Amino acid sequence: MTRLRLFALVFCLPALLSAEPEPVAIQLGRAAVAAADPGAVTYTVALDATLDAEAYRLQVDDHGAVRIAGGDAVGAMYGLQDLAEQLRTPSTQLINSAGRPAHPFRALKFNLPWDAYRSNEAITQHLDVCRDPAFWEAFLNMMAENRFNALTLWNLHPWPYLIRPTNFPEACPFTDPELAAWQSLFATIFRLAKERGIETYLVNWNIFVSPAFAAAHDLPGRANLTPARGATPAQEELVKRYNRESVTQVLNEYPDLTGIGFSLGEAMGGVTAEYRQQWVLDTVVAGVQAVDRPVKLIHRVPFSAGLSNGGETSRATEELTRAALESITDVARPILIEAKFNWSHAHSSPKLIKVHGGALSDAYANPPPDHFRMAWMMRNEDFFTLRWGEPDFIREVIARNSDPASVAGYFVGSECYVPALDYFTAAPPTDRSWTYAFERQWLFYTVWGRLLYDPTTPDATFVQAFADRYGADLAPRLFNAWRLASRVPLRLTSFVDINNDKSFYAEGFLAREGVDSSEFLSLEMLMGKASLDPAYQSIGDHVQQVVTNAGWNPDLLSPLALADLVDTESAAAIREVAGQSAPPGHEALRQELTDLHAWSLLGHYFAAKLRAGVALGLYQETGDESHRDRARTHIGGAIRYWHDLARLTAPVYREVPLTHLHYYEPGSEEWTRIGPEREAKFRRAFPDNHFSWSRLLPFVEADLDFVNQAQPHP
């Protein structure tokens, strides 16, 4: 470091003139500066009312002294973090800089492992970690460092964990000491978040009640009662009143809690969109309106325009929802409305193709709304084990989908994964430089958070983040390798049409064909799939184009061109780190390099499978055995890539529980359709719902049998 250092005592002037302690956010910023360089730099911090919330300005005078101004304490923290980054960068001088949030809402979605929407080992294994305040402090520090400003906490029915309802004490199953422990945990989470400038929201699934409440009132199951489920008017009113009063009491007892979100339509099959909307207006919204402070709302876009829960969109339902949003008074504005970007698989195409249920009309954006703004839900259900980070993808998502007249920001997170316990790593904890799962995936949170705050954040920022971890010499190569390798799941999930959570899992090539079950994405399945992104040509459409000698559409990416592209990017990623290995004891770098090679092998596997699918499709249409011979060659290469993947990952990663691994029920329609023998084979491979690439080898190899047994179409 060649900068001249002037030792100085550094104070925030407003703190000197007031008895108030310095905000925690600024304290965290100061700590980042102190950690960046053991020397001292002269700097001052002050608030400037002319700057926007969360904005900052960093100025360096002719003597090298730094003045940081923040629109608020959070902006000042970001300015201090900027200074810390500059101090870590090998440069001869500090430079002026500034920051201003591009999106006012930059949230992480976090599924709580208790009373979870999807309850299985993959979720419940996090219980102990998520009840530890130390975890939340570390997680919230990460959020602040990456400039996320909202934490949304999701579970089925949160109220009994926070309160003993005044008029419904029977709803809370805990003893007083047990409830006090839960209350202390939530109060701590909300306080830690507020100190870091992070809003907090509880998001639930509405019509449910606690099992204790249902038992006390002799109601069935979780008492998700509607007229379609046989509820009497008295039962309906009881459930509404309980939920409404619980919302009010929770918000009154937790003043650091920012707001409430609700999932319009879950478990409300058989009733109309009008009924669902009125239900939440009468319960959640009315409960919020009874609170004597500004409370923010997250109103999820209706899942279904029809009577089912399966998912269906319509302009009429969207117009109905918009009218309801515009009618809501006595809540903080704008109300945030949430819709799933490309359903549950946002890491696919940067184009908005569909939400939960289908295509979205412009009803929420045209004309521009006054009372609400959209917040896109960027769900990741496609990679949990392997790291990821492609900043250009995020930049394109933002550029295409962030009209400030109608969009406030984004959520990022998963339904089937909780980033708490590191249950992936085979190496013992003593060999790791991290404690929690989210720390393994630092790049994912860094690129999403920093680019949501400022989409013009340069690649140099991310290169420096690699330099901080692995040294300046390796950093550019690692960054370039990651941006290339991270395109593999994006290409794959753009090619395969998908919808809900478990319908696809990119890093495992699992694809759901029926309800509540996952299967391996076989060659047969891949050949029959439509594409999510309309610019990607499916295998079936490409084969028909060839055999009918139809004209070529230059706007379509054919499966063979896609194979070439994925092969090229995967090979280029590995060239960036060719010959690089991790020094003994450097588990973090070992895993980074393992993940890069794993994505590259998955890319080569995908490319070979695409070529095999085209060749076999041509054989089925023409009967020409030379096409089948090519399919055998390509699928043989694909199998070898998967064997390499299994050998690579087995010593590094444990076999892990995976929510996507669910099975068909014997005798069900799906069981009959796919055949008990095929289903039994899948159950034998995954009797414990645990995933590894090695376990999938029999399914990978079965593609060769499919090629050999294929027959020309009649």
Side-chain angles (χ1 to χ4, degrees), residues 173-184:
F174 304 115
T175 65
D176 288 345
E178 289 171 339
L179 179 59
W182 283 110
Q183 291 175 319
S184 176

Side-chain angles (χ1 to χ4, degrees), residues 4 13 40 65 93 108 114 165 249 275 293 320 395 442 447 656:
L4 176 65
L13 183 59
Q93 62 180 9
L108 288 182
W114 46 85
Q249 187 173 340
Y275 180 94
R293 65 178 173 90
L320 166 74
R395 291 184 182 110
W442 66 271
V447 292
V656 296

Side-chain angles (χ1 to χ4, degrees), residues 262-274:
F262 47 87
S263 307
L264 195 71
E266 192 70 34
M268 298 179 82
V271 295
T272 64
E274 290 84 354

Side-chain angles (χ1 to χ4, degrees), residues 383-396:
F383 41 84
F384 306 151
T385 304
L386 301 178
R387 293 158 176 81
W388 183 91
E390 215 302 40
D392 286 341
F393 167 76
I394 299 171
R395 291 184 182 110
E396 186 174 354

